[in-house]
Amino acid sequence: MAALPDLVVREMQSADVGARIDYFHDATDEHLRTMGVDRGLLPTKEAWRARIEADLARPIRERTGYALVWELAGRMVGFSATDQIEFGKQAFMHLHILRPEERHAGLGAEFVTLSAAAFFRVLEIERLFCEPNALNVAPNRTLQRAGFRYLFSHETIPGPINFRQVTTRWVLERPESR
Ligand SMILES: CC(C)(COP(=O)(O)OP(=O)(O)OC[C@H]1O[C@@H](n2cnc3c(N)ncnc32)[C@H](O)[C@@H]1OP(=O)(O)O)[C@@H](O)C(=O)NCCC(=O)NCCS
């Protein structure tokens, strides 16, 4: 796939947090289900924003999460958030293109590659995991396309906003040359 020159990955800032939260709160039931998210477990917008803002104020080594905004020609089209960060070791990544009509057009695979490089650099991690719902085809295909290696599938509750589900765990090791 040819590189897309207009793609930029940058750190998520306070001004972007509303779009991230609205993405979940405004999502259809079907979209949340596909992602394995339980609407009843979403924090209120206010509580969620307060939590993210507090985290943004911490030094990078003490963050519970770290997120990137995906921009196409200067416009936010998606984001990638990490959690379960063990600084210097590993983190788990999530992938989201905001608008359905901009999915499945080759952007995700490109952004994942750019995001992985940023996560390795900023979080100084050795390995990056992603663990989507096993039945959610798009992220599973995208991770494979971006060079992630399949590890295993298991039944779990992968995060605080998720219901119990079968997930697939993928990993990307830090490239040798930095
Ligand atoms: C996951 C997501 C970021 C992937 O980005 P994308 O731009 O749609 O993916 P791409 O167009 O780059 O496609 C990458 C690969 O996935 C495949 N793919 C993407 N969407 C697909 C779909 N809905 N069904 C089947 N395959 C799909 C593409 O065909 C391509 O496969 P290939 O390598 O065989 O050519 C995006 O689909 C999305 O935001 N989905 C909703 C949110 C979500 O489910 N997130 C996962 C939570 S971790």
Side-chain angles (χ1 to χ4, degrees), residues 17-33 35 37-52 79 96 98 103 161:
V17 172
R20 172 176 172 182
I21 293 171
D22 287 349
Y23 165 80
F24 286 97
H25 273 272
D26 297 346
T28 62
D29 289 343
E30 186 194 358
H31 184 47
L32 291 182
R33 205 177 315 114
M35 295 193 294
V37 171
D38 180 343
R39 187 183 299 284
L41 295 175
L42 295 179
T44 64
K45 290 187 178 187
E46 298 72 24
W48 209 348
R49 170 174 281 283
R51 195 180 305 168
I52 295 173
F79 63 94
H96 304 282
L98 302 177
R103 296 178 194 144
I161 62 171

Side-chain angles (χ1 to χ4, degrees), residues 83 97 130 168:
D83 56 20
I97 289 180
C130 188
T168 47

Side-chain angles (χ1 to χ4, degrees), residues 5 20 33 45 54 60 75 100 122 136 150 156 161:
R20 172 176 172 182
R33 205 177 315 114
K45 290 187 178 187
I60 187 71
R75 182 174 54 88
V122 175
N136 189 358
Y150 171 81
T156 185
I161 62 171

Side-chain angles (χ1 to χ4, degrees), residues 1-2 4 7 72 97 99-110 142:
M1 186 186 296
L4 299 166
L7 303 194
L72 174 63
I97 289 180
R99 292 151 56 96
E101 56 272 29
E102 291 187 304
R103 296 178 194 144
H104 209 167
L107 294 176
E110 293 282 333
T142 301

Side-chain angles (χ1 to χ4, degrees), residues 6-22:
D6 284 351
L7 303 194
V8 169
V9 165
R10 62 164 178 83
E11 232 172 74
M12 181 173 281
Q13 292 158 357
S14 196
D16 311 308
V17 172
R20 172 176 172 182
I21 293 171
D22 287 349

Side-chain angles (χ1 to χ4, degrees), residues 120 126-129 147 149 151 171-176:
F120 283 123
E126 297 297 331
R127 64 199 74 86
L128 179 63
F129 295 107
R149 180 165 52 88
L151 289 177
V171 68
L172 188 68
E173 309 283 347
R174 183 189 186 102
E176 287 301 320

